[in-house]
Structures are given as C-alpha cells and as structure tokens.
C-alpha cells in the first residue's frame, strides 16, 4: 500500500500495531524507551517486535536519557532513528550516533518567528521535527498558518489534530514532510481495533 505522505506512528508497544503499520506502508514506528516511564517498552517485547517486522524504520523515543545510554540502546535494538521528546543541548545531539527527530510543542502563545529561530538553530543537527501541541486539539485557522510557515522551511511532521475528515486537506495546504500518529494498547493480547488508523490511511492511500 502506498501513502501520499510519510507517516510516523509513535508509542508502539505491541506486535499487532507494529505488523499493521508495516503492512500499511508506515515509514517509521517509534517505541517509548523513556527510562523513568512505567509504560516504556520492555526489552523482550521490543526484541519480539523488531524480530517480526521488516522494511520499516525503527525509532526510540527518549526524554532525559544521556547520549551514551541512547547510543547503547540504539545499538542493542538496531534502531534507525532517535526521537527526543524534550529539548536537548546541541552538544548532546551531536553525541547521538543516529539521525534525530526533535519533538517541538506549540501553543496559543507561540510566536512563529521565535519558533523558526529555534528550528533554524537546531536544523543542521537533526533529521526532522515533529510538532505537538499543549493547547490545540485540532489543526484549524488558529494554527494552520504557523504550521505552513515552519513546514515550508523545515522537514516537519504534524503530530496532533488529525483525523479522517481533515487529514487530506491539511496535507495539501500545510505540505508537511509527513504526519505523526499515536499507537495504543491492545484490547487483549493479539487483538487491536485499528478503525481510527484505517480511516486515516484510507484517506491517504495513493
């Protein structure tokens, strides 16, 4: 299956999600490896998942782990990318031996010039940015212009406010590098409801 834009699915914690994403043409699946998070993926689960999927890039999601710990886990689990969910110093990013996706948050007080200044500073050291919001639950007139501006200048994934009704329009008007979706828990082992994902993928099918 081909999709009209690149897709990252974060928070994958089970084989059902991983295999489904691989089959649907998702480019990157991300795993919560935050050291202080009780919901982080356990090593045996991650090894099971990575042993079953192929043809898809694997990302580890981190918050405050030191670069040397990130590199050790990236080597152990053959990760292709690192997603930093909090700001790191540029010196620390340079120590990470995988391409980095930097999470960026916007809110109703975000000034586009200040956001672009920060992204300009980090851009030489990261592969891309994924944009989330602490205020907005949808992409609309209040934030679409800002997202267009940053997507015009940088490699940006949109990680919030997307659904089956707006995803096609947003991809056409904002022109991001791709979108970010969030994985979730299985209903029971081996069983997952993919209706929400499927609706979005149907809209994006090429």
């Amino acid at each position: 299956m081909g999709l009209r834009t690149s897709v990252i699915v974060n928070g994958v914690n089970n084989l059902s999600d991983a295999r489904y994403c691989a089959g649907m043409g998702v480019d990157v699946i991300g795993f919560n490896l935050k050291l202080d998070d009780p919901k982080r993926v356990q090593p045996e689960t991650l090894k099971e998942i990575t042993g079953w999927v192929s043809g898809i890039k694997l990302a580890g999601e981190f918050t405050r782990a030191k670069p040397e710990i990130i590199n050790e886990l990236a080597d152990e689990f053959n990760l292709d990318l690192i997603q930093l969910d909090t700001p790191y110093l540029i010196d620390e990013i340079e120590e990470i031996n995988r391409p980095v996706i930097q999470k960026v948050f916007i809110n109703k007080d975000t000034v586009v010039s200040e956001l672009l200044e920060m992204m300009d500073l980090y851009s030489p050291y990261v592969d891309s940015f994924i944009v989330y919001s602490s205020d907005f639950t949808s992409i609309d007139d209040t934030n679409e212009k800002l997202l267009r501006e940053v997507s015009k200048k940088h490699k940006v994934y949109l990680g919030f406010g997307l659904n089956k009704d707006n995803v096609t329009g947003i991809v056409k008007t904002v022109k991001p590098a791709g979108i970010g979706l969030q994985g979730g828990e299985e209903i029971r082992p081996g069983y997952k409801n993919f209706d929400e994902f499927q609706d979005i993928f149907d809209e994006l099918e090429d």
Side-chain angles (χ1 to χ4, degrees), residues 57-193:
K57 290 185 177 180
L58 310 176
E61 304 162 24
F62 295 91
T63 49
R64 289 175 292 277
K66 294 180 179 179
E68 57 266 31
I69 299 298
I70 292 175
N71 289 336
E72 287 176 11
L73 292 172
D75 289 340
E76 181 179 356
F77 297 111
N78 295 314
L79 301 178
D80 301 292
L81 298 156
I82 300 301
Q83 180 173 307
L84 300 178
D85 286 356
T86 53
Y88 273 58
L89 298 175
I90 288 174
D91 287 349
E92 293 176 312
I93 293 175
E94 289 188 291
E95 294 179 35
I96 297 172
N97 61 19
R98 299 290 196 280
V100 167
I101 304 168
Q102 178 65 59
K103 182 181 280 191
V104 175
F105 283 91
I106 65 168
N107 57 44
K108 59 183 175 59
D109 297 318
T110 298
V111 177
V112 66
S113 60
E114 294 176 356
L115 178 61
L116 281 171
E117 184 178 357
M118 182 277 291
M119 294 172 78
D120 288 344
L121 181 65
Y122 275 79
S123 185
Y125 307 98
V126 302
D127 173 78
S128 55
F129 299 91
I130 186 164
V131 180
Y132 280 72
S133 180
S134 49
D135 281 345
F136 302 116
T137 58
S138 63
I139 296 175
D140 52 34
D141 293 342
T142 60
N143 52 43
E144 187 177 312
K145 182 179 177 182
L146 180 152
L147 294 172
R148 282 202 311 269
E149 290 296 315
V150 297
S151 296
K152 189 185 303 180
K153 194 168 184 183
H154 295 288
K155 184 179 178 182
V156 169
Y157 289 82
L158 304 181
F160 75 98
L162 296 168
N163 55 58
K164 66 177 182 178
D165 297 318
N166 70 3
V167 66
T168 298
I170 295 300
V171 167
K172 286 181 178 178
T173 57
V174 176
K175 296 182 172 62
I179 65 170
L181 303 175
Q182 190 69 30
E185 300 293 333
E186 293 178 298
I187 296 172
R188 58 179 183 271
Y191 183 77
K192 179 75 183 289
N193 186 336

Side-chain angles (χ1 to χ4, degrees), residues 33-45:
L33 297 179
K34 299 161 190 172
L35 302 180
D36 57 351
D37 190 339
K39 294 185 177 180
R40 72 189 300 265
V41 178
Q42 296 304 305
E44 59 273 16
T45 302

